Amino acid sequence: MIKAIRALAVALVTALFLAGCAQHGGPTQEQAGAVVGGALGGLLGAQVGGGSGRTAAIIAGTLAGAAIGGNIGRTMDEVDRQRTAQALETQPDHRTSRWQNPNTGHEYAVTPVSTRETGGRPCRTFETEAIIDGQRETVTGQACRTADGRWEIQ
């Protein structure tokens, strides 16, 4: 369950960065990650638990998700957000953009998998791989470019 929570948290924290949600005056990256991770953990706990153990599974999932999401949110910064958006903007399908964050030492890789047009705007399916403290997580997402040029997770 923890591995699934971590993977979902990576995807949603990436979504928050691409959408520009961690702006001045808003929630910190760690706070946003903790909220997203906690919500996902609670949902996963509800799916896993049954009977009288369901409440315990929801609580455990929420706590684990908040911890993992907060950690991932804390590890991604503006460098990672910019590099992810740049990969979506410039890399052809199946070509990976890899980097190591100079501030954290964490490694990331974004690979656009396919490109299509939806509603008159470019959309891309992509795979994100993060290696944080030796833990490798890979998630797949979809993003479309907005009218102002940002990439927004769908």
Side-chain angles (χ1 to χ4, degrees):
M1 178 168 79
I2 290 188
K3 194 165 193 165
I5 294 168
R6 180 182 283 270
L8 288 170
V10 168
L12 289 177
V13 170
T14 299
L16 287 173
F17 286 116
L18 289 177
C21 292
Q23 296 175 352
H24 180 68
T28 67
Q29 296 163 15
E30 181 177 359
Q31 291 166 338
V35 168
V36 169
L40 290 172
L43 288 172
L44 285 172
Q47 298 299 315
V48 172
S52 62
R54 185 169 190 216
T55 300
I58 291 170
I59 292 169
T62 300
L63 293 174
I68 291 168
N71 183 48
I72 293 168
R74 187 173 45 253
T75 64
M76 294 186 82
D77 65 12
E78 184 66 17
V79 170
D80 305 317
R81 186 193 66 77
Q82 288 176 356
R83 294 293 301 261
T84 299
Q86 181 181 24
L88 292 173
E89 186 66 33
T90 62
Q91 292 294 85
D93 290 349
H94 306 291
R95 180 170 295 159
T96 301
S97 176
R98 298 180 185 280
W99 68 93
Q100 182 173 20
N101 183 301
N103 299 316
T104 65
H106 299 133
E107 299 174 44
Y108 299 92
V110 174
T111 306
V113 177
S114 64
T115 304
R116 68 192 180 294
E117 193 167 308
T118 302
R121 59 186 186 149
C123 295
R124 303 193 84 176
T125 300
F126 64 96
E127 183 176 278
T128 301
E129 181 180 280
I131 302 173
I132 301 169
D133 298 329
Q135 297 284 342
R136 180 183 308 258
E137 298 297 335
T138 303
V139 293
T140 300
Q142 294 183 32
C144 293
R145 190 182 314 123
T146 63
D148 66 358
R150 290 180 300 116
W151 285 92
E152 180 178 83
I153 300 295
Q154 302 298 299

